[in-house]
Amino acid sequence: MTMNKYQDQGSGQDRNNAFDDSGDDAARSGSIGQALKSVYQQTVEEELPEDFQKLLDQLK
């Protein structure tokens, strides 16, 4: 039977701490954060599509 970290394993451990992978979570969070920053920066640096710019110019 396969257990996940939320199932009681009968060992007396707190079921939320049954598998201590907090180090992996921190590394994963750091990688995800870096990836999000990178995508955000690329988006900020993209040029506006010409037709969208024309629409914005009409609002002026």
Side-chain angles (χ1 to χ4, degrees), residues 5 12-19:
K5 69 180 183 179
Q13 291 180 320
D14 179 16
R15 66 186 198 170
N16 290 327
N17 293 325
F19 300 107

Side-chain angles (χ1 to χ4, degrees), residues 4-60:
N4 67 36
K5 69 180 183 179
Y6 300 107
Q7 291 174 317
D8 186 2
Q9 299 174 4
S11 65
Q13 291 180 320
D14 179 16
R15 66 186 198 170
N16 290 327
N17 293 325
F19 300 107
D20 183 16
D21 60 356
S22 57
D24 291 339
D25 286 345
R28 192 173 310 131
S29 292
S31 295
I32 291 170
Q34 286 298 104
L36 288 171
K37 287 179 186 178
S38 175
V39 169
Y40 175 78
Q41 190 60 40
Q42 290 172 4
T43 303
V44 167
E45 293 172 357
E46 282 183 11
E47 290 194 31
L48 233 44
E50 187 177 325
D51 48 346
F52 189 69
Q53 184 63 50
K54 286 179 184 178
L55 287 173
L56 289 175
D57 291 340
Q58 291 176 8
L59 295 173
K60 292 181 182 179

